[in-house]
Amino acid sequence: GEDVEQSLFLSVREGDSSVINCTYTDSSSTYLYWYKQEPGAGLQLLTYIFSNMDMKQDQRLTVLLNKKDKHLSLRIADTQTGDSAIYFCADNQAGTALIFGKGTTLSVSS
Amino acid sequence: DSGVTQTPKHLITATGQRVTLRCSPRSGDLSVYWYQQSLDQGLQFLIHYYNGEERAKGNILERFSAQQFPDLHSELNLSSLELGDSALYFCASSTGQPGETQYFGPGTRLLVL
C-alpha cells in the first residue's frame, strides 16, 4: 500500500535553518501537506503544495517537491525554540484519506 | 483555532466498555474524517463521511463505528474497549472537494485501564 517515510529526529540550533525530508510512494498524489503537532496539542496545518508545483514559499517556510524522486522537503528558516514540535508529512490518497509519515521531532536549542 | 471542535477532551474508561466521541466540523464543511494516533501505529485514517454518507474506510476495527448526522456533526463509537485502544482520536473536516485541505480538531485522548 501507499507509504510516507520521514526521518524521526532533527536537532538544530536557534537561528539555523531546519530541513525536514519526506518520501512518498503514491505517484498519483495531487496534494502533499505539512502539519505541525506541539506537545499535547492537535495537528496544525502549516502548508501544502500541489503536485504540479516544484516549490512553495510561505514566510519562513519553503516546501520543495521533486515529483520524479517522490521527495518532499520542508525548510524552516531562522528556526526558533517555538518551532520545536513534531512535523508530519501527509499525502492525500485518492482525494480522501491523508496518509501520514511517522513524524519528525524537531528539537531547537538556544 | 481550526474551527473543528471535539468532545470530550479526555476520557478514561475500563476494558470492555463503550464510549462515544463527538466532532463538530467547521461551518460549511461537509466532510468529516476520523484518525487515530497511537505510539506504535502513528496517525492512521479510520473513516470518512460526506454529507451523512460513509465514503471511505481505513484501518477501522469492527468494534468501532461512526455516523454523521443531518446537522453534519459526527460521532465515533468505540465498543468492547481494549487496552490497545488507548490513543488520541482526531476528527478533521473539509469542504468535501477531492484533495481539499483537512482541518483538525484538538483531539480526544482516550485511556483504557
Side-chain angles (χ1 to χ4, degrees):
Chain A
E2 190 189 336
D3 201 15
V4 176
E5 300 274 347
Q6 296 178 244
S7 52
L8 293 182
F9 297 101
L10 177 64
S11 183
V12 301
R13 300 195 74 145
E14 195 172 22
D16 288 349
S17 290
S18 306
V19 179
I20 302 171
N21 294 299
C22 169
T23 57
Y24 60 97
T25 58
D26 185 3
S27 56
S28 64
S29 299
T30 50
Y31 290 92
L32 293 143
Y33 301 85
W34 286 102
Y35 284 86
K36 175 183 179 183
Q37 185 177 31
E38 296 185 53
L43 290 163
Q44 174 196 351
L45 175 68
L46 279 181
T47 188
Y48 63 93
I49 189 166
F50 188 52
S51 59
N52 68 353
M53 297 170 66
D54 297 323
M55 185 181 93
K56 180 179 179 182
Q57 188 148 3
D58 185 0
Q59 298 182 341
R60 291 191 298 124
L61 305 178
T62 303
V63 179
L64 295 178
L65 175 60
N66 181 328
K67 200 170 178 184
K68 175 174 166 289
D69 294 338
K70 299 192 184 112
H71 182 266
L72 182 73
S73 67
L74 174 70
R75 178 176 180 268
I76 306 172
D78 187 26
T79 313
Q80 303 297 307
T81 54
D83 294 323
S84 293
I86 304 176
Y87 290 80
F88 291 93
C89 168
D91 181 6
N92 190 253
Q93 182 188 45
T96 178
L98 288 175
I99 306 300
F100 286 90
K102 295 278 190 204
T104 299
T105 298
L106 174 63
S107 175
V108 183
S109 56
S110 54
Chain B
D1 184 359
S2 67
V4 179
T5 60
Q6 289 187 248
T7 55
K9 195 168 181 178
H10 301 278
L11 201 46
I12 302 175
T13 189
T15 54
Q17 295 298 303
R18 173 189 161 96
V19 296
T20 297
L21 313 183
R22 184 186 167 105
C23 167
S24 293
R26 293 186 321 157
S27 177
D29 282 356
L30 298 177
S31 270
V32 169
Y33 307 80
W34 286 97
Y35 293 86
Q36 178 195 59
Q37 185 179 33
S38 61
L39 281 173
D40 53 344
Q41 298 291 329
L43 267 161
Q44 288 202 95
F45 166 66
L46 295 179
I47 198 162
H48 169 210
Y49 275 83
Y50 174 80
N51 204 20
E53 292 190 8
E54 182 187 302
R55 279 295 175 93
K57 264 186 174 178
N59 297 321
I60 188 166
L61 300 170
E62 284 194 14
R63 301 182 285 107
F64 295 1
S65 64
Q67 52 185 328
Q68 186 179 27
F69 295 86
D71 67 353
L72 301 175
H73 90 272
S74 177
E75 292 180 358
L76 180 67
N77 301 295
L78 315 177
S79 61
S80 302
L81 285 166
E82 301 175 0
L83 297 178
D85 298 327
S86 295
L88 196 47
Y89 291 84
F90 286 111
C91 162
S93 76
S94 76
T95 59
Q97 296 302 310
E100 277 293 302
T101 301
Q102 296 180 24
Y103 293 90
F104 281 74
T108 293
R109 188 171 293 278
L110 173 67
L111 180 59
V112 182
L113 300 174

